[in-house]
mmCIF file of all heavy atoms in Angstrom:
data_model
loop_
_atom_site.group_PDB
_atom_site.id
_atom_site.type_symbol
_atom_site.label_atom_id
_atom_site.label_comp_id
_atom_site.label_asym_id
_atom_site.label_seq_id
_atom_site.Cartn_x
_atom_site.Cartn_y
_atom_site.Cartn_z
ATOM 1 N N LYS A 11 20.407 -59.844 -71.496
ATOM 2 C CA LYS A 11 19.627 -60.093 -72.690
ATOM 3 C C LYS A 11 19.758 -58.937 -73.674
ATOM 4 O O LYS A 11 19.920 -59.120 -74.873
ATOM 5 C CB LYS A 11 18.148 -60.296 -72.311
ATOM 6 C CG LYS A 11 17.241 -60.608 -73.490
ATOM 7 C CD LYS A 11 15.782 -60.685 -73.070
ATOM 8 C CE LYS A 11 15.523 -61.886 -72.204
ATOM 9 N NZ LYS A 11 14.073 -62.043 -71.923
ATOM 10 N N SER A 67 -4.515 -59.146 -105.275
ATOM 11 C CA SER A 67 -3.274 -59.001 -104.517
ATOM 12 C C SER A 67 -2.705 -57.602 -104.610
ATOM 13 O O SER A 67 -2.161 -57.057 -103.636
ATOM 14 C CB SER A 67 -2.240 -60.016 -105.023
ATOM 15 O OG SER A 67 -2.650 -61.328 -104.729
ATOM 16 N N GLY A 201 -14.428 -71.635 -102.296
ATOM 17 C CA GLY A 201 -13.946 -70.827 -103.397
ATOM 18 C C GLY A 201 -12.875 -69.826 -102.990
ATOM 19 O O GLY A 201 -12.151 -70.008 -102.014
ATOM 20 N N ALA A 217 -0.603 -63.150 -84.657
ATOM 21 C CA ALA A 217 -0.606 -61.948 -83.816
ATOM 22 C C ALA A 217 -0.756 -62.303 -82.346
ATOM 23 O O ALA A 217 -0.060 -61.777 -81.488
ATOM 24 C CB ALA A 217 -1.734 -61.009 -84.246
ATOM 25 N N LYS A 247 5.580 -37.727 -82.832
ATOM 26 C CA LYS A 247 6.684 -38.526 -83.341
ATOM 27 C C LYS A 247 6.177 -39.818 -83.985
ATOM 28 O O LYS A 247 6.637 -40.221 -85.072
ATOM 29 C CB LYS A 247 7.660 -38.841 -82.207
ATOM 30 C CG LYS A 247 8.891 -39.620 -82.625
ATOM 31 C CD LYS A 247 9.819 -38.760 -83.468
ATOM 32 C CE LYS A 247 10.420 -37.646 -82.633
ATOM 33 N NZ LYS A 247 11.394 -36.866 -83.427
ATOM 34 N N LEU A 353 7.442 -73.030 -113.772
ATOM 35 C CA LEU A 353 7.048 -73.517 -112.439
ATOM 36 C C LEU A 353 5.733 -72.891 -111.984
ATOM 37 O O LEU A 353 4.867 -73.583 -111.443
ATOM 38 C CB LEU A 353 8.160 -73.204 -111.445
ATOM 39 C CG LEU A 353 7.894 -73.570 -109.977
ATOM 40 C CD1 LEU A 353 7.769 -75.074 -109.827
ATOM 41 C CD2 LEU A 353 8.993 -73.022 -109.078
ATOM 42 N N GLY A 388 16.777 -47.816 -95.764
ATOM 43 C CA GLY A 388 17.000 -48.241 -94.387
ATOM 44 C C GLY A 388 17.752 -47.191 -93.583
ATOM 45 O O GLY A 388 17.426 -46.937 -92.423
ATOM 46 N N GLY A 402 11.576 -40.336 -102.755
ATOM 47 C CA GLY A 402 12.212 -41.201 -103.758
ATOM 48 C C GLY A 402 11.216 -42.129 -104.412
ATOM 49 O O GLY A 402 11.241 -42.335 -105.638
#
Side-chain angles (χ1 to χ4, degrees):
K11 182 185 291 187
S67 293
K247 183 70 67 176
L353 176 65

